[in-house]
Amino acid sequence: MTTISPLIAGNWKMNGLTSSLEELSALAQLLTTGEAPRAVVVVCPPATLLAAVAAQGASSGIMAGGQNCHVEAAGAHTGEVSAGMLADVGAQYVIVGHSERRADNHETDDLVRAKAEAAIGAGLKPIICVGETEAERDAGQAESVVAAQLASSVPDAAGQHEVIVAYEPIWAIGTGRTPSNDDIRQMHANIRDRLVERFGEKGAQIRILYGGSLKPVNAREILAIENVNGGLVGGASLLAKDFYTIISSV
Ligand code: PEP
């Protein structure tokens, strides 16, 4: 059986000023003075703080990730940031296809796949988000919706390069609600099956993160579920103490 080292990524979303770097220092302090983390730790701040997070996090093993990238390397795309630019300031990961971007910016599976390809091309590891709405779950479509997103959002290059899949039921993001442990187990098993079907042994090694109201109080049991290889954490990643508790729950 393959052992997958867990990964915990914090998504700061559109939160964080330079003063928030104090929270990063507090996290670094906890990580270096406490028990060694049993997970790869990634912080994805707003683009304005990425260079600082990459520089400041390095000594404590905290890796930096972007929250989005453009599909092209450079050009006339005002306000956009390319994967190469993220890599240039020290990012190693980038979130693509977060449900907030799919909703706010009308990002399609095809676009998400192109972003994941751009990320791989720039030497980044894309964290590709998938997840159903509450209406889709209520209609019994969660599994088929996520399978379709996986088929179209995960690039073929995942067969040769490292990618991460994050299952984030949209109705659980920022709501304090989570699926039952059985529902998480079932969905992660389905995702694993789809990845193995498509990528063989490589698919058995792809990390599948759970995201959606992961908190200090529920992290231990959720992160222990089979095929949950870590978490993508929003709100609870903003406070070093909470994020550290989640990391330590692995
Ligand atoms: C997220 O936005 O990726 C997320 C998981 O948010 P939260 O943990 O706040 O639900």
mmCIF file with all atom_site columns, all heavy atoms in Angstrom, residues 198-224:
data_model
loop_
_atom_site.group_PDB
_atom_site.id
_atom_site.type_symbol
_atom_site.label_atom_id
_atom_site.label_alt_id
_atom_site.label_comp_id
_atom_site.label_asym_id
_atom_site.label_entity_id
_atom_site.label_seq_id
_atom_site.pdbx_PDB_ins_code
_atom_site.Cartn_x
_atom_site.Cartn_y
_atom_site.Cartn_z
_atom_site.occupancy
_atom_site.B_iso_or_equiv
_atom_site.pdbx_formal_charge
_atom_site.auth_seq_id
_atom_site.auth_comp_id
_atom_site.auth_asym_id
_atom_site.auth_atom_id
_atom_site.pdbx_PDB_model_num
ATOM 1   N N   . ARG A 1 198 ? -7.735  6.555  -14.168 1.00 0.00 ? 198 ARG A N   1
ATOM 2   C CA  . ARG A 1 198 ? -7.134  7.396  -15.223 1.00 0.00 ? 198 ARG A CA  1
ATOM 3   C C   . ARG A 1 198 ? -5.606  7.367  -15.216 1.00 0.00 ? 198 ARG A C   1
ATOM 4   O O   . ARG A 1 198 ? -4.977  7.388  -16.274 1.00 0.00 ? 198 ARG A O   1
ATOM 5   C CB  . ARG A 1 198 ? -7.637  8.835  -15.036 1.00 0.00 ? 198 ARG A CB  1
ATOM 6   C CG  . ARG A 1 198 ? -7.196  9.769  -16.139 1.00 0.00 ? 198 ARG A CG  1
ATOM 7   C CD  . ARG A 1 198 ? -8.032  11.018 -16.150 1.00 0.00 ? 198 ARG A CD  1
ATOM 8   N NE  . ARG A 1 198 ? -7.355  12.061 -16.885 1.00 0.00 ? 198 ARG A NE  1
ATOM 9   C CZ  . ARG A 1 198 ? -7.576  13.342 -16.724 1.00 0.00 ? 198 ARG A CZ  1
ATOM 10  N NH1 . ARG A 1 198 ? -8.487  13.760 -15.855 1.00 0.00 ? 198 ARG A NH1 1
ATOM 11  N NH2 . ARG A 1 198 ? -6.915  14.234 -17.433 1.00 0.00 ? 198 ARG A NH2 1
ATOM 12  N N   . PHE A 1 199 ? -5.010  7.325  -14.011 1.00 0.00 ? 199 PHE A N   1
ATOM 13  C CA  . PHE A 1 199 ? -3.552  7.494  -13.947 1.00 0.00 ? 199 PHE A CA  1
ATOM 14  C C   . PHE A 1 199 ? -2.825  6.268  -13.394 1.00 0.00 ? 199 PHE A C   1
ATOM 15  O O   . PHE A 1 199 ? -1.610  6.324  -13.188 1.00 0.00 ? 199 PHE A O   1
ATOM 16  C CB  . PHE A 1 199 ? -3.197  8.718  -13.093 1.00 0.00 ? 199 PHE A CB  1
ATOM 17  C CG  . PHE A 1 199 ? -3.745  10.010 -13.639 1.00 0.00 ? 199 PHE A CG  1
ATOM 18  C CD1 . PHE A 1 199 ? -4.768  10.678 -12.978 1.00 0.00 ? 199 PHE A CD1 1
ATOM 19  C CD2 . PHE A 1 199 ? -3.257  10.548 -14.818 1.00 0.00 ? 199 PHE A CD2 1
ATOM 20  C CE1 . PHE A 1 199 ? -5.284  11.865 -13.478 1.00 0.00 ? 199 PHE A CE1 1
ATOM 21  C CE2 . PHE A 1 199 ? -3.758  11.733 -15.334 1.00 0.00 ? 199 PHE A CE2 1
ATOM 22  C CZ  . PHE A 1 199 ? -4.784  12.400 -14.665 1.00 0.00 ? 199 PHE A CZ  1
ATOM 23  N N   . GLY A 1 200 ? -3.556  5.183  -13.126 1.00 0.00 ? 200 GLY A N   1
ATOM 24  C CA  . GLY A 1 200 ? -2.910  3.969  -12.620 1.00 0.00 ? 200 GLY A CA  1
ATOM 25  C C   . GLY A 1 200 ? -2.235  4.211  -11.290 1.00 0.00 ? 200 GLY A C   1
ATOM 26  O O   . GLY A 1 200 ? -2.758  4.922  -10.432 1.00 0.00 ? 200 GLY A O   1
ATOM 27  N N   . GLU A 1 201 ? -1.039  3.631  -11.125 1.00 0.00 ? 201 GLU A N   1
ATOM 28  C CA  . GLU A 1 201 ? -0.309  3.720  -9.853  1.00 0.00 ? 201 GLU A CA  1
ATOM 29  C C   . GLU A 1 201 ? -0.095  5.183  -9.431  1.00 0.00 ? 201 GLU A C   1
ATOM 30  O O   . GLU A 1 201 ? -0.150  5.525  -8.256  1.00 0.00 ? 201 GLU A O   1
ATOM 31  C CB  . GLU A 1 201 ? 1.025   2.971  -10.009 1.00 0.00 ? 201 GLU A CB  1
ATOM 32  C CG  . GLU A 1 201 ? 1.905   2.954  -8.777  1.00 0.00 ? 201 GLU A CG  1
ATOM 33  C CD  . GLU A 1 201 ? 1.176   2.560  -7.476  1.00 0.00 ? 201 GLU A CD  1
ATOM 34  O OE1 . GLU A 1 201 ? 0.222   1.755  -7.527  1.00 0.00 ? 201 GLU A OE1 1
ATOM 35  O OE2 . GLU A 1 201 ? 1.559   3.084  -6.427  1.00 0.00 ? 201 GLU A OE2 1
ATOM 36  N N   . LYS A 1 202 ? 0.132   6.047  -10.416 1.00 0.00 ? 202 LYS A N   1
ATOM 37  C CA  . LYS A 1 202 ? 0.329   7.479  -10.113 1.00 0.00 ? 202 LYS A CA  1
ATOM 38  C C   . LYS A 1 202 ? -0.929  8.059  -9.438  1.00 0.00 ? 202 LYS A C   1
ATOM 39  O O   . LYS A 1 202 ? -0.851  8.887  -8.532  1.00 0.00 ? 202 LYS A O   1
ATOM 40  C CB  . LYS A 1 202 ? 0.636   8.216  -11.424 1.00 0.00 ? 202 LYS A CB  1
ATOM 41  C CG  . LYS A 1 202 ? 0.850   9.688  -11.287 1.00 0.00 ? 202 LYS A CG  1
ATOM 42  C CD  . LYS A 1 202 ? 2.214   10.038 -10.745 1.00 0.00 ? 202 LYS A CD  1
ATOM 43  C CE  . LYS A 1 202 ? 2.334   11.538 -10.543 1.00 0.00 ? 202 LYS A CE  1
ATOM 44  N NZ  . LYS A 1 202 ? 3.491   11.914 -9.746  1.00 0.00 ? 202 LYS A NZ  1
ATOM 45  N N   . GLY A 1 203 ? -2.083  7.584  -9.882  1.00 0.00 ? 203 GLY A N   1
ATOM 46  C CA  . GLY A 1 203 ? -3.346  8.066  -9.319  1.00 0.00 ? 203 GLY A CA  1
ATOM 47  C C   . GLY A 1 203 ? -3.521  7.653  -7.867  1.00 0.00 ? 203 GLY A C   1
ATOM 48  O O   . GLY A 1 203 ? -4.243  8.298  -7.111  1.00 0.00 ? 203 GLY A O   1
ATOM 49  N N   . ALA A 1 204 ? -2.845  6.564  -7.498  1.00 0.00 ? 204 ALA A N   1
ATOM 50  C CA  . ALA A 1 204 ? -2.929  6.094  -6.109  1.00 0.00 ? 204 ALA A CA  1
ATOM 51  C C   . ALA A 1 204 ? -2.084  6.968  -5.186  1.00 0.00 ? 204 ALA A C   1
ATOM 52  O O   . ALA A 1 204 ? -2.194  6.882  -3.968  1.00 0.00 ? 204 ALA A O   1
ATOM 53  C CB  . ALA A 1 204 ? -2.470  4.641  -6.026  1.00 0.00 ? 204 ALA A CB  1
ATOM 54  N N   . GLN A 1 205 ? -1.219  7.787  -5.779  1.00 0.00 ? 205 GLN A N   1
ATOM 55  C CA  . GLN A 1 205 ? -0.307  8.611  -4.969  1.00 0.00 ? 205 GLN A CA  1
ATOM 56  C C   . GLN A 1 205 ? -0.721  10.075 -4.896  1.00 0.00 ? 205 GLN A C   1
ATOM 57  O O   . GLN A 1 205 ? -0.103  10.865 -4.187  1.00 0.00 ? 205 GLN A O   1
ATOM 58  C CB  . GLN A 1 205 ? 1.102   8.551  -5.572  1.00 0.00 ? 205 GLN A CB  1
ATOM 59  C CG  . GLN A 1 205 ? 1.741   7.192  -5.439  1.00 0.00 ? 205 GLN A CG  1
ATOM 60  C CD  . GLN A 1 205 ? 2.921   7.042  -6.385  1.00 0.00 ? 205 GLN A CD  1
ATOM 61  O OE1 . GLN A 1 205 ? 3.471   8.031  -6.856  1.00 0.00 ? 205 GLN A OE1 1
ATOM 62  N NE2 . GLN A 1 205 ? 3.291   5.813  -6.663  1.00 0.00 ? 205 GLN A NE2 1
ATOM 63  N N   . ILE A 1 206 ? -1.735  10.447 -5.657  1.00 0.00 ? 206 ILE A N   1
ATOM 64  C CA  . ILE A 1 206 ? -2.149  11.863 -5.665  1.00 0.00 ? 206 ILE A CA  1
ATOM 65  C C   . ILE A 1 206 ? -2.844  12.197 -4.340  1.00 0.00 ? 206 ILE A C   1
ATOM 66  O O   . ILE A 1 206 ? -3.738  11.474 -3.914  1.00 0.00 ? 206 ILE A O   1
ATOM 67  C CB  . ILE A 1 206 ? -3.085  12.141 -6.870  1.00 0.00 ? 206 ILE A CB  1
ATOM 68  C CG1 . ILE A 1 206 ? -2.302  11.974 -8.183  1.00 0.00 ? 206 ILE A CG1 1
ATOM 69  C CG2 . ILE A 1 206 ? -3.707  13.532 -6.768  1.00 0.00 ? 206 ILE A CG2 1
ATOM 70  C CD1 . ILE A 1 206 ? -3.143  12.117 -9.450  1.00 0.00 ? 206 ILE A CD1 1
ATOM 71  N N   . ARG A 1 207 ? -2.404  13.277 -3.700  1.00 0.00 ? 207 ARG A N   1
ATOM 72  C CA  . ARG A 1 207 ? -3.064  13.668 -2.450  1.00 0.00 ? 207 ARG A CA  1
ATOM 73  C C   . ARG A 1 207 ? -4.471  14.169 -2.735  1.00 0.00 ? 207 ARG A C   1
ATOM 74  O O   . ARG A 1 207 ? -4.684  14.951 -3.667  1.00 0.00 ? 207 ARG A O   1
ATOM 75  C CB  . ARG A 1 207 ? -2.295  14.799 -1.771  1.00 0.00 ? 207 ARG A CB  1
ATOM 76  C CG  . ARG A 1 207 ? -0.968  14.407 -1.164  1.00 0.00 ? 207 ARG A CG  1
ATOM 77  C CD  . ARG A 1 207 ? -0.458  15.584 -0.322  1.00 0.00 ? 207 ARG A CD  1
ATOM 78  N NE  . ARG A 1 207 ? 0.867   15.358 0.201   1.00 0.00 ? 207 ARG A NE  1
ATOM 79  C CZ  . ARG A 1 207 ? 1.993   15.789 -0.356  1.00 0.00 ? 207 ARG A CZ  1
ATOM 80  N NH1 . ARG A 1 207 ? 1.963   16.477 -1.490  1.00 0.00 ? 207 ARG A NH1 1
ATOM 81  N NH2 . ARG A 1 207 ? 3.150   15.539 0.216   1.00 0.00 ? 207 ARG A NH2 1
ATOM 82  N N   . ILE A 1 208 ? -5.397  13.730 -1.892  1.00 0.00 ? 208 ILE A N   1
ATOM 83  C CA  . ILE A 1 208 ? -6.768  14.239 -1.963  1.00 0.00 ? 208 ILE A CA  1
ATOM 84  C C   . ILE A 1 208 ? -7.042  14.948 -0.631  1.00 0.00 ? 208 ILE A C   1
ATOM 85  O O   . ILE A 1 208 ? -7.107  14.301 0.421   1.00 0.00 ? 208 ILE A O   1
ATOM 86  C CB  . ILE A 1 208 ? -7.804  13.102 -2.173  1.00 0.00 ? 208 ILE A CB  1
ATOM 87  C CG1 . ILE A 1 208 ? -7.412  12.207 -3.362  1.00 0.00 ? 208 ILE A CG1 1
ATOM 88  C CG2 . ILE A 1 208 ? -9.196  13.693 -2.374  1.00 0.00 ? 208 ILE A CG2 1
ATOM 89  C CD1 . ILE A 1 208 ? -8.257  10.931 -3.487  1.00 0.00 ? 208 ILE A CD1 1
ATOM 90  N N   . LEU A 1 209 ? -7.144  16.267 -0.686  1.00 0.00 ? 209 LEU A N   1
ATOM 91  C CA  . LEU A 1 209 ? -7.386  17.052 0.532   1.00 0.00 ? 209 LEU A CA  1
ATOM 92  C C   . LEU A 1 209 ? -8.884  17.206 0.753   1.00 0.00 ? 209 LEU A C   1
ATOM 93  O O   . LEU A 1 209 ? -9.651  17.250 -0.210  1.00 0.00 ? 209 LEU A O   1
ATOM 94  C CB  . LEU A 1 209 ? -6.769  18.454 0.411   1.00 0.00 ? 209 LEU A CB  1
ATOM 95  C CG  . LEU A 1 209 ? -5.316  18.565 -0.063  1.00 0.00 ? 209 LEU A CG  1
ATOM 96  C CD1 . LEU A 1 209 ? -4.872  20.036 -0.007  1.00 0.00 ? 209 LEU A CD1 1
ATOM 97  C CD2 . LEU A 1 209 ? -4.407  17.682 0.783   1.00 0.00 ? 209 LEU A CD2 1
ATOM 98  N N   . TYR A 1 210 ? -9.278  17.312 2.005   1.00 0.00 ? 210 TYR A N   1
ATOM 99  C CA  . TYR A 1 210 ? -10.658 17.700 2.309   1.00 0.00 ? 210 TYR A CA  1
ATOM 100 C C   . TYR A 1 210 ? -10.648 19.182 2.679   1.00 0.00 ? 210 TYR A C   1
ATOM 101 O O   . TYR A 1 210 ? -9.770  19.638 3.433   1.00 0.00 ? 210 TYR A O   1
ATOM 102 C CB  . TYR A 1 210 ? -11.263 16.893 3.480   1.00 0.00 ? 210 TYR A CB  1
ATOM 103 C CG  . TYR A 1 210 ? -12.563 17.538 3.895   1.00 0.00 ? 210 TYR A CG  1
ATOM 104 C CD1 . TYR A 1 210 ? -13.709 17.317 3.138   1.00 0.00 ? 210 TYR A CD1 1
ATOM 105 C CD2 . TYR A 1 210 ? -12.609 18.465 4.942   1.00 0.00 ? 210 TYR A CD2 1
ATOM 106 C CE1 . TYR A 1 210 ? -14.886 17.998 3.428   1.00 0.00 ? 210 TYR A CE1 1
ATOM 107 C CE2 . TYR A 1 210 ? -13.779 19.151 5.231   1.00 0.00 ? 210 TYR A CE2 1
ATOM 108 C CZ  . TYR A 1 210 ? -14.909 18.909 4.472   1.00 0.00 ? 210 TYR A CZ  1
ATOM 109 O OH  . TYR A 1 210 ? -16.065 19.597 4.744   1.00 0.00 ? 210 TYR A OH  1
ATOM 110 N N   . GLY A 1 211 ? -11.622 19.941 2.207   1.00 0.00 ? 211 GLY A N   1
ATOM 111 C CA  . GLY A 1 211 ? -11.765 21.341 2.598   1.00 0.00 ? 211 GLY A CA  1
ATOM 112 C C   . GLY A 1 211 ? -13.218 21.696 2.797   1.00 0.00 ? 211 GLY A C   1
ATOM 113 O O   . GLY A 1 211 ? -14.110 21.180 2.097   1.00 0.00 ? 211 GLY A O   1
ATOM 114 N N   . GLY A 1 212 ? -13.462 22.572 3.752   1.00 0.00 ? 212 GLY A N   1
ATOM 115 C CA  . GLY A 1 212 ? -14.834 23.007 4.045   1.00 0.00 ? 212 GLY A CA  1
ATOM 116 C C   . GLY A 1 212 ? -15.070 22.940 5.540   1.00 0.00 ? 212 GLY A C   1
ATOM 117 O O   . GLY A 1 212 ? -15.318 21.868 6.084   1.00 0.00 ? 212 GLY A O   1
ATOM 118 N N   . SER A 1 213 ? -14.907 24.115 6.214   1.00 0.00 ? 213 SER A N   1
ATOM 119 C CA  . SER A 1 213 ? -15.138 24.202 7.661   1.00 0.00 ? 213 SER A CA  1
ATOM 120 C C   . SER A 1 213 ? -14.307 23.198 8.464   1.00 0.00 ? 213 SER A C   1
ATOM 121 O O   . SER A 1 213 ? -14.790 22.642 9.455   1.00 0.00 ? 213 SER A O   1
ATOM 122 C CB  . SER A 1 213 ? -16.632 24.064 7.975   1.00 0.00 ? 213 SER A CB  1
ATOM 123 O OG  . SER A 1 213 ? -17.338 25.161 7.422   1.00 0.00 ? 213 SER A OG  1
ATOM 124 N N   . LEU A 1 214 ? -13.084 22.967 8.003   1.00 0.00 ? 214 LEU A N   1
ATOM 125 C CA  . LEU A 1 214 ? -12.141 22.164 8.796   1.00 0.00 ? 214 LEU A CA  1
ATOM 126 C C   . LEU A 1 214 ? -11.661 23.062 9.942   1.00 0.00 ? 214 LEU A C   1
ATOM 127 O O   . LEU A 1 214 ? -11.192 24.168 9.704   1.00 0.00 ? 214 LEU A O   1
ATOM 128 C CB  . LEU A 1 214 ? -10.978 21.744 7.897   1.00 0.00 ? 214 LEU A CB  1
ATOM 129 C CG  . LEU A 1 214 ? -10.113 20.567 8.323   1.00 0.00 ? 214 LEU A CG  1
ATOM 130 C CD1 . LEU A 1 214 ? -10.933 19.300 8.531   1.00 0.00 ? 214 LEU A CD1 1
ATOM 131 C CD2 . LEU A 1 214 ? -9.050  20.301 7.274   1.00 0.00 ? 214 LEU A CD2 1
ATOM 132 N N   . LYS A 1 215 ? -11.829 22.592 11.164  1.00 0.00 ? 215 LYS A N   1
ATOM 133 C CA  . LYS A 1 215 ? -11.547 23.413 12.357  1.00 0.00 ? 215 LYS A CA  1
ATOM 134 C C   . LYS A 1 215 ? -10.764 22.582 13.362  1.00 0.00 ? 215 LYS A C   1
ATOM 135 O O   . LYS A 1 215 ? -10.745 21.349 13.268  1.00 0.00 ? 215 LYS A O   1
ATOM 136 C CB  . LYS A 1 215 ? -12.872 23.816 13.040  1.00 0.00 ? 215 LYS A CB  1
ATOM 137 C CG  . LYS A 1 215 ? -13.902 24.455 12.147  1.00 0.00 ? 215 LYS A CG  1
ATOM 138 C CD  . LYS A 1 215 ? -13.710 25.945 12.080  1.00 0.00 ? 215 LYS A CD  1
ATOM 139 C CE  . LYS A 1 215 ? -14.770 26.586 11.198  1.00 0.00 ? 215 LYS A CE  1
ATOM 140 N NZ  . LYS A 1 215 ? -14.318 27.646 10.379  1.00 0.00 ? 215 LYS A NZ  1
ATOM 141 N N   . PRO A 1 216 ? -10.198 23.256 14.371  1.00 0.00 ? 216 PRO A N   1
ATOM 142 C CA  . PRO A 1 216 ? -9.515  22.493 15.423  1.00 0.00 ? 216 PRO A CA  1
ATOM 143 C C   . PRO A 1 216 ? -10.414 21.399 16.023  1.00 0.00 ? 216 PRO A C   1
ATOM 144 O O   . PRO A 1 216 ? -9.946  20.316 16.331  1.00 0.00 ? 216 PRO A O   1
ATOM 145 C CB  . PRO A 1 216 ? -9.164  23.559 16.468  1.00 0.00 ? 216 PRO A CB  1
ATOM 146 C CG  . PRO A 1 216 ? -9.003  24.813 15.667  1.00 0.00 ? 216 PRO A CG  1
ATOM 147 C CD  . PRO A 1 216 ? -10.017 24.724 14.558  1.00 0.00 ? 216 PRO A CD  1
ATOM 148 N N   . VAL A 1 217 ? -11.709 21.663 16.138  1.00 0.00 ? 217 VAL A N   1
ATOM 149 C CA  . VAL A 1 217 ? -12.589 20.675 16.797  1.00 0.00 ? 217 VAL A CA  1
ATOM 150 C C   . VAL A 1 217 ? -12.897 19.446 15.944  1.00 0.00 ? 217 VAL A C   1
ATOM 151 O O   . VAL A 1 217 ? -13.234 18.393 16.482  1.00 0.00 ? 217 VAL A O   1
ATOM 152 C CB  . VAL A 1 217 ? -13.954 21.284 17.230  1.00 0.00 ? 217 VAL A CB  1
ATOM 153 C CG1 . VAL A 1 217 ? -13.794 22.179 18.435  1.00 0.00 ? 217 VAL A CG1 1
ATOM 154 C CG2 . VAL A 1 217 ? -14.646 21.979 16.091  1.00 0.00 ? 217 VAL A CG2 1
ATOM 155 N N   . ASN A 1 218 ? -12.838 19.562 14.634  1.00 0.00 ? 218 ASN A N   1
ATOM 156 C CA  . ASN A 1 218 ? -13.200 18.388 13.814  1.00 0.00 ? 218 ASN A CA  1
ATOM 157 C C   . ASN A 1 218 ? -12.024 17.829 13.019  1.00 0.00 ? 218 ASN A C   1
ATOM 158 O O   . ASN A 1 218 ? -12.154 16.809 12.328  1.00 0.00 ? 218 ASN A O   1
ATOM 159 C CB  . ASN A 1 218 ? -14.382 18.709 12.873  1.00 0.00 ? 218 ASN A CB  1
ATOM 160 C CG  . ASN A 1 218 ? -14.062 19.869 11.916  1.00 0.00 ? 218 ASN A CG  1
ATOM 161 O OD1 . ASN A 1 218 ? -12.897 20.191 11.694  1.00 0.00 ? 218 ASN A OD1 1
ATOM 162 N ND2 . ASN A 1 218 ? -15.079 20.490 11.356  1.00 0.00 ? 218 ASN A ND2 1
ATOM 163 N N   . ALA A 1 219 ? -10.858 18.506 13.097  1.00 0.00 ? 219 ALA A N   1
ATOM 164 C CA  . ALA A 1 219 ? -9.734  18.111 12.233  1.00 0.00 ? 219 ALA A CA  1
ATOM 165 C C   . ALA A 1 219 ? -9.271  16.679 12.492  1.00 0.00 ? 219 ALA A C   1
ATOM 166 O O   . ALA A 1 219 ? -9.021  15.924 11.541  1.00 0.00 ? 219 ALA A O   1
ATOM 167 C CB  . ALA A 1 219 ? -8.576  19.078 12.420  1.00 0.00 ? 219 ALA A CB  1
ATOM 168 N N   . ARG A 1 220 ? -9.181  16.319 13.770  1.00 0.00 ? 220 ARG A N   1
ATOM 169 C CA  . ARG A 1 220 ? -8.599  15.012 14.067  1.00 0.00 ? 220 ARG A CA  1
ATOM 170 C C   . ARG A 1 220 ? -9.396  13.887 13.410  1.00 0.00 ? 220 ARG A C   1
ATOM 171 O O   . ARG A 1 220 ? -8.847  13.017 12.743  1.00 0.00 ? 220 ARG A O   1
ATOM 172 C CB  . ARG A 1 220 ? -8.492  14.795 15.581  1.00 0.00 ? 220 ARG A CB  1
ATOM 173 C CG  . ARG A 1 220 ? -7.669  13.579 15.955  1.00 0.00 ? 220 ARG A CG  1
ATOM 174 C CD  . ARG A 1 220 ? -7.352  13.554 17.434  1.00 0.00 ? 220 ARG A CD  1
ATOM 175 N NE  . ARG A 1 220 ? -6.485  14.641 17.856  1.00 0.00 ? 220 ARG A NE  1
ATOM 176 C CZ  . ARG A 1 220 ? -5.152  14.637 17.755  1.00 0.00 ? 220 ARG A CZ  1
ATOM 177 N NH1 . ARG A 1 220 ? -4.528  13.597 17.225  1.00 0.00 ? 220 ARG A NH1 1
ATOM 178 N NH2 . ARG A 1 220 ? -4.445  15.666 18.161  1.00 0.00 ? 220 ARG A NH2 1
ATOM 179 N N   . GLU A 1 221 ? -10.721 13.942 13.550  1.00 0.00 ? 221 GLU A N   1
ATOM 180 C CA  . GLU A 1 221 ? -11.491 12.817 12.987  1.00 0.00 ? 221 GLU A CA  1
ATOM 181 C C   . GLU A 1 221 ? -11.560 12.874 11.464  1.00 0.00 ? 221 GLU A C   1
ATOM 182 O O   . GLU A 1 221 ? -11.473 11.845 10.790  1.00 0.00 ? 221 GLU A O   1
ATOM 183 C CB  . GLU A 1 221 ? -12.877 12.681 13.623  1.00 0.00 ? 221 GLU A CB  1
ATOM 184 C CG  . GLU A 1 221 ? -13.733 13.907 13.576  1.00 0.00 ? 221 GLU A CG  1
ATOM 185 C CD  . GLU A 1 221 ? -15.113 13.635 14.184  1.00 0.00 ? 221 GLU A CD  1
ATOM 186 O OE1 . GLU A 1 221 ? -15.712 12.613 13.841  1.00 0.00 ? 221 GLU A OE1 1
ATOM 187 O OE2 . GLU A 1 221 ? -15.565 14.465 14.997  1.00 0.00 ? 221 GLU A OE2 1
ATOM 188 N N   . ILE A 1 222 ? -11.667 14.081 10.904  1.00 0.00 ? 222 ILE A N   1
ATOM 189 C CA  . ILE A 1 222 ? -11.761 14.161 9.438   1.00 0.00 ? 222 ILE A CA  1
ATOM 190 C C   . ILE A 1 222 ? -10.432 13.750 8.793   1.00 0.00 ? 222 ILE A C   1
ATOM 191 O O   . ILE A 1 222 ? -10.401 12.992 7.817   1.00 0.00 ? 222 ILE A O   1
ATOM 192 C CB  . ILE A 1 222 ? -12.193 15.573 8.985   1.00 0.00 ? 222 ILE A CB  1
ATOM 193 C CG1 . ILE A 1 222 ? -13.647 15.826 9.412   1.00 0.00 ? 222 ILE A CG1 1
ATOM 194 C CG2 . ILE A 1 222 ? -12.037 15.734 7.468   1.00 0.00 ? 222 ILE A CG2 1
ATOM 195 C CD1 . ILE A 1 222 ? -14.192 17.210 9.077   1.00 0.00 ? 222 ILE A CD1 1
ATOM 196 N N   . LEU A 1 223 ? -9.329  14.211 9.372   1.00 0.00 ? 223 LEU A N   1
ATOM 197 C CA  . LEU A 1 223 ? -8.023  13.914 8.759   1.00 0.00 ? 223 LEU A CA  1
ATOM 198 C C   . LEU A 1 223 ? -7.623  12.445 8.916   1.00 0.00 ? 223 LEU A C   1
ATOM 199 O O   . LEU A 1 223 ? -6.683  11.992 8.272   1.00 0.00 ? 223 LEU A O   1
ATOM 200 C CB  . LEU A 1 223 ? -6.944  14.841 9.347   1.00 0.00 ? 223 LEU A CB  1
ATOM 201 C CG  . LEU A 1 223 ? -7.145  16.333 9.009   1.00 0.00 ? 223 LEU A CG  1
ATOM 202 C CD1 . LEU A 1 223 ? -6.142  17.197 9.770   1.00 0.00 ? 223 LEU A CD1 1
ATOM 203 C CD2 . LEU A 1 223 ? -7.017  16.579 7.503   1.00 0.00 ? 223 LEU A CD2 1
ATOM 204 N N   . ALA A 1 224 ? -8.360  11.717 9.769   1.00 0.00 ? 224 ALA A N   1
ATOM 205 C CA  . ALA A 1 224 ? -8.050  10.290 9.951   1.00 0.00 ? 224 ALA A CA  1
ATOM 206 C C   . ALA A 1 224 ? -8.828  9.406  8.972   1.00 0.00 ? 224 ALA A C   1
ATOM 207 O O   . ALA A 1 224 ? -8.605  8.197  8.905   1.00 0.00 ? 224 ALA A O   1
ATOM 208 C CB  . ALA A 1 224 ? -8.378  9.883  11.391  1.00 0.00 ? 224 ALA A CB  1
#
